[in-house]
Amino acid sequence: MSEGVSVKISPSILSADFAKLGDEVAMLEDGGADWLHIDVMDGRFVPNLTFGAKVIETVRKRTSLPLDVHLMVLEPERYFDDFANAGASGLTIHAEVSPHLDRQLTRIREVGCAAGVALNPSTPITAVEDVLDKLDLLLIMSVNPGFGGQQFIRRSLDRIARARRMLEAVRSPAVLEVDGGINRSTIVECWQAGADTFVAGNAIFAAANPKDEIRTLREQCTHRA
Ligand code: DX5
Ligand code: ZN
């Protein structure tokens, strides 16, 4: 990948003010977000509990941006149809709870969504090596999933670099996304390591001006080491 390759910023609505979710979505779109990241948590795969199809549907009505849905749930296949119907653009499932990745990724494409796999910080990158042809997105978790506002795990940089090499080896067009602890400084290193798509929650919503922050995050990704 070289300079000029498109960088995507995918703000996570997990850090939004839910009392005014519609306004927050409009603000993110106006601020230049490329995608919106929607964190679905079931209180079982991860300790936290968030939301489901109803919120995806609500967000869908307020924006035409692609909805990047991250499923931190057991048995994610139970939700593919509902979430696709609610307006999800991509569905990303966790390798740790997806013993039939080949079948599950095929099914995500069948329901009309981009098929993604997320890997926890302790999961070997090779977990997706044999399904690369079915993969539209690879998500490297740079925190242990469950909560916004956690600290970036630095070992993730080497994992991003290895993931990029693995995708390049088969000329995969898959998006390489990173999620967790992304801010003005960590985004630069992730970009240099080979990521092209960046989830950010706390960095955007805790900023004095969230719209400016989206632009600032994107501007960090202009130079390669
Ligand atoms: C964490 C979620 C993330 C989270 C990122 O489990 O998957 O998408 O919202 O939040 P920040 O950017 O605050 O680390
Ligand atoms: Zn996420």
Side-chain angles (χ1 to χ4, degrees):
M1 194 167 37
S2 59
E3 275 185 42
V5 167
S6 73
V7 168
K8 285 189 277 293
I9 307 292
S10 187
S12 167
I13 63 161
L14 188 61
S15 298
D17 179 348
F18 275 74
K20 48 173 189 173
L21 183 58
D23 293 345
E24 299 273 59
V25 167
M27 178 277 291
L28 294 169
E29 183 162 9
D30 195 46
D34 299 283
W35 293 357
L36 295 184
H37 186 82
I38 302 187
D39 287 305
V40 177
M41 304 185 189
D42 67 354
R44 298 189 66 210
F45 174 56
V46 291
N48 202 1
L49 196 58
T50 58
F51 36 68
K54 181 75 185 167
V55 166
I56 297 172
E57 204 181 302
T58 302
V59 173
R60 178 77 292 159
K61 285 183 187 150
R62 294 298 296 257
T63 181
S64 54
L65 290 179
L67 302 184
D68 168 32
V69 179
H70 178 191
L71 284 83
M72 285 159 276
V73 305
L74 303 182
E75 301 177 359
E77 61 278 4
R78 293 173 56 199
Y79 306 96
F80 292 168
D81 286 285
D82 280 357
F83 287 7
N85 289 334
S89 311
L91 296 175
T92 297
I93 60 178
H94 268 265
E96 301 81 10
V97 287
S98 301
H100 306 292
L101 266 186
D102 184 273
R103 181 164 67 211
Q104 288 161 301
L105 293 173
T106 299
R107 183 70 194 136
I108 292 175
R109 285 180 169 176
E110 279 173 4
V111 300
C113 291
V117 173
L119 302 174
N120 280 344
S122 61
T123 303
I125 302 285
T126 50
V128 294
E129 205 170 21
D130 291 305
V131 288
L132 291 177
D133 57 326
K134 310 215 156 166
L135 206 58
D136 300 307
L137 180 150
L138 177 56
L139 172 53
I140 304 295
M141 289 306 302
S142 41
V143 297
N144 289 293
F147 302 93
Q150 300 184 78
Q151 196 180 0
F152 181 80
I153 296 173
R154 294 200 57 79
R155 192 166 33 80
S156 312
L157 294 169
D158 178 60
R159 291 168 56 76
I160 293 167
R162 281 185 281 133
R164 173 54 70 194
R165 285 199 292 275
M166 181 179 68
L167 294 174
E168 277 178 352
V170 297
R171 298 180 187 279
S172 167
V175 162
L176 183 54
E177 185 176 50
V178 57
D179 181 7
I182 295 298
N183 58 36
R184 289 177 184 206
S185 68
T186 55
I187 197 171
V188 184
E189 295 171 284
C190 291
W191 161 250
Q192 289 172 341
D196 52 43
T197 300
F198 306 89
V199 177
N202 189 56
I204 291 173
F205 284 97
N209 185 329
K211 287 192 203 176
D212 283 354
E213 198 62 25
I214 294 172
R215 192 178 59 240
T216 302
L217 287 171
R218 191 194 310 283
E219 283 170 359
Q220 306 307 306
C221 306
T222 49
H223 301 293
R224 289 254 144 177

